[in-house]
Amino acid sequence: MIFTIPNPTIALACGAILFSACGKTDTELPSVCSETGNELSVLAGEIEALAGSSIQITDLFCDNEALSEVRWDIHNAADHAHEEGESDEGFVLHSGTEWEVLEVNSISGTSSTNSITLDIPLDTRGVWDVVVSLVDEAGNAAADLVTQLHIENEHIPEFTLNTVNGIDPATWSGEPLWSAGSVVTIAGKVADSDGVSEAHITLVRESDETTIWEFNLAPNNATERTFTSDIEIALDAEIGEYHFEMTATDANQNSMETGFHVEIE
């Protein structure tokens, strides 16, 4: 009978692996530990700001052992939710929808204060998501924290839609569905304290950017122009995605564009 003597180096390595597997590891998630009374915090229910202004959002981040990284992501809140079961913001007419901010900062220690400064464009209006992602040194990632940034704008004209086919758009769930050959009635207003010099509403086919319907509101520098317009959709209209666009320019030549997506079947 032959007996094999274990290699002492291998035995020690195995012992180390076993000890490591049984030892305590850091599984506690990092967290945001700011006081909830801080208005400009991701823990706030919402943050309000004016277009053209600069704001700073500041939070205190904590971990039982060591922090590593915080990621700030600011993007348009339209048409999506961040958690299962969470509803999106609902119907909001946005302007300046291309504005986004992404910033990743290194942090350390068991607690660290970090801030992001946002220079809000002058042509922006609507609701943006402020998303904070937090990771500790052990790689533990906390669930994203999300709050809404509501941006008001006093510089550019503003459209308001009261009803679309007699329905308040605020009650919509998802994008509206219109039928080829139908007539859709839009009621609303465009306003600006300096007067509105130009205003148009159009329906654009997204496949080739063709305008299939348009209407000049002819505001004539009025501070408010109400409208009720019938959109006639041809019976042979191409099935697919469209964009309902509303554009306006005030007496000081400040322009804006807003709208929403439509599916035609």
Side-chain angles (χ1 to χ4, degrees):
M1 181 178 297
I2 299 174
F3 295 92
T4 302
I5 300 174
N7 186 313
T9 303
I10 297 175
L12 287 172
C14 291
I17 292 171
L18 181 62
F19 177 79
S20 175
C22 296
K24 183 181 178 181
T25 58
D26 177 15
T27 58
E28 187 171 326
L29 301 180
S31 63
V32 181
C33 46
S34 297
E35 293 294 331
T36 54
N38 179 12
E39 181 183 358
L40 298 187
S41 162
V42 73
L43 295 181
E46 65 181 34
I47 297 172
E48 296 184 356
L50 288 174
S53 68
S54 180
I55 65 170
Q56 186 178 72
I57 304 173
T58 302
D59 279 292
L60 177 64
F61 304 105
C62 299
D63 187 68
N64 63 315
E65 293 192 7
L67 294 160
S68 175
E69 183 180 276
V70 58
R71 181 179 188 266
W72 300 87
D73 181 2
I74 290 83
H75 55 258
N76 195 302
D79 304 325
H80 71 277
H82 280 271
E83 296 179 5
E84 186 176 351
E86 175 191 359
S87 60
D88 60 42
E89 183 64 23
F91 181 76
V92 177
L93 289 174
H94 289 82
S95 299
T97 52
E98 296 302 315
W99 180 61
E100 294 183 349
V101 179
L102 179 62
E103 186 173 301
V104 180
N105 297 325
S106 295
I107 52 178
S108 60
T110 56
S111 66
S112 179
T113 299
N114 197 258
S115 302
I116 186 169
T117 299
L118 302 177
D119 297 319
I120 302 172
L122 201 57
D123 66 342
T124 299
R125 175 188 284 124
V127 181
W128 269 251
D129 284 328
V130 177
V131 184
V132 169
S133 305
L134 191 61
V135 180
D136 70 11
E137 200 171 61
N140 300 309
D144 287 348
L145 284 159
V146 185
T147 191
Q148 266 77 49
L149 172 62
H150 292 245
I151 301 174
E152 296 296 332
N153 195 309
E154 301 173 348
H155 304 279
I156 58 176
E158 180 175 14
F159 276 93
T160 302
L161 285 182
N162 299 324
T163 59
V164 178
N165 266 352
I167 299 173
D168 183 350
T171 64
W172 288 350
S173 58
E175 65 183 30
L177 182 64
W178 297 348
S179 299
S182 66
V183 176
V184 177
T185 302
I186 304 281
K189 68 178 180 179
V190 59
D192 189 280
S193 59
D194 298 315
V196 183
S197 62
E198 296 181 21
H200 300 82
I201 51 180
T202 58
L203 184 62
V204 178
R205 186 168 58 216
E206 293 191 359
S207 62
D208 56 7
E209 297 299 318
T210 297
T211 297
I212 68 165
W213 176 90
E214 60 183 331
F215 181 62
N216 181 1
L217 297 179
N220 297 320
N221 292 316
T223 57
E224 181 176 298
R225 164 73 159 93
T226 60
F227 60 87
T228 300
S229 302
D230 290 334
I231 305 171
E232 298 181 2
I233 303 172
L235 188 60
D236 60 352
E238 181 180 302
I239 304 304
E241 295 292 326
Y242 289 72
H243 193 245
F244 184 76
E245 297 180 355
M246 297 176 282
T247 60
T249 303
D250 70 12
N252 294 324
Q253 298 305 301
N254 297 310
S255 298
M256 61 82 67
E257 179 179 338
T258 189
F260 56 89
H261 290 277
V262 175
E263 184 177 352
I264 292 181
E265 64 170 6

